[in-house]
Amino acid sequence: MTEKRVAIVTGGSRGIGAAIVRRLAKDGLHVVAVARNLEKLEQVCAEVNAAGGSAEPLACDIGDAKAWAAALEQIGDKHGRVDVLVNNAGITRDDLILRMEDEAFDEVINTNLKSAFVSIRSAARLIMRSKTGRIINISSVAGVAGNAGQANYAASKAGLIGLSKSVARELSRKGVTCNVIAPGFITTDMTQVLPDELKETVKSNIPLRRFGEAAEIAAAVAFFASPDAAYITGQVLCVDGGMVM
Ligand code: NAP
C-alpha cells in the first residue's frame, strides 16, 4: 500500500485542477492527476515531482463511464488506498435554452455530473477504509444561483450539490466528509474565451472587483482535505469574491 495519503484529482492537466494537484502534492499527498491530454498531465506531474512532491498522470476520458470506472479500479489496485477524491473536471457547452441541443445538454451532464457519481461509487469502499476520507466536488456559483445561457452547466453543477449532500449523509458513519466548492470567475482557459468587454462587466459586479486565481480554489480544497476540516460535511463553500452571499 502507498504510504502517503493518495488523492485523485480529475481535470488535473490545467487550470484549477492543475493548481489542486500542485497544492495537494505540496501538502504531502501522492496525487493521481486525471485528464484526457496525457502530455499536459505529464508536464504538471514532472513539475510537481521536480519540486519534491509526488504526482502521477492518468489519461482517461471521464465522460466514458466504463473507462473511468476501470481507471479508478486500476488506481485502487496500484495504491491500495484512496484518501481524497476531487471531482474537478468540467466543460461548458453554453447556449440559450431555446437553442440548446440534446447533445450539448447530455455531454455536459455526463462529463460534469455523471463522472462524479461514477468516481464516488467506484472509490467509496477505499475512501471508507481511510481514516481521513474526503470527497470534494467542484461545482460553480452557476449551480447555486443559475446563469442565463448555461442551463446544462448550471443543472450539472446544482446536481453535484445534491449528489454531495446525499453522499455526505451516506458516508458520514465512516467518518468520510463530502463537501462542495463553488468557484465564481477564476482565471483559466474556461474564462479566457470570454470577450474582454464581458469580463470587465463581470468584474464590476464582483464585490472584490477581480477574477479569482486557480490557487485560491486549490487553497479551499486543501482546507477540506486537511484534518482541520474533519467536522465539516455536506457544505457548499462559494469562493467567488462575494458574488453569491
Ligand atoms: P479548464 O481550464 O477548462 O480545465 C478543465 C479540465 O477538465 C482540464 O484538465 C481538462 O483536461 C479536464 N477535462 C475536461 N473534460 C474531460 C473529460 N471528458 N475527461 C477528463 N478530463 C476532462 O477548466 P477550469 O476553469 O480549470 O475548471 C475546473 C472546474 O472548475 C470545472 O468543473 C469548472 O466547471 C469549474 N469552475 C470553473 C470556473 C472558472 O471560472 N474557471 C468557475 C466555476 C466553476 P483535458 O481537456 O485534457 O481532458
Side-chain angles (χ1 to χ4, degrees), residues 11-17 35-37 60-63 88-91 111 138-140 153 157 183-186 188-191:
S13 60
R14 55 197 160 89
I16 292 171
R36 289 164 300 185
N37 187 322
C60 182
D61 178 353
I62 62 159
N88 161 78
I91 55 165
T111 305
I138 308 300
S139 174
S140 164
Y153 182 77
K157 295 300 188 179
F185 282 83
I186 310 300
T188 69
D189 293 350
M190 192 176 267
T191 47

Side-chain angles (χ1 to χ4, degrees), residues 9 23 69 94 126 135 165 211 233 241:
V9 179
R23 176 60 196 257
D94 298 352
L126 283 176
I135 300 168
K165 292 188 178 198
F211 279 19
T233 195

Side-chain angles (χ1 to χ4, degrees), residues 90-105:
I91 55 165
T92 51
R93 291 279 304 272
D94 298 352
D95 216 336
L96 294 172
I97 191 80
L98 288 173
R99 286 203 302 247
M100 191 174 284
E101 307 268 3
D102 286 14
E103 196 253 327
F105 188 84

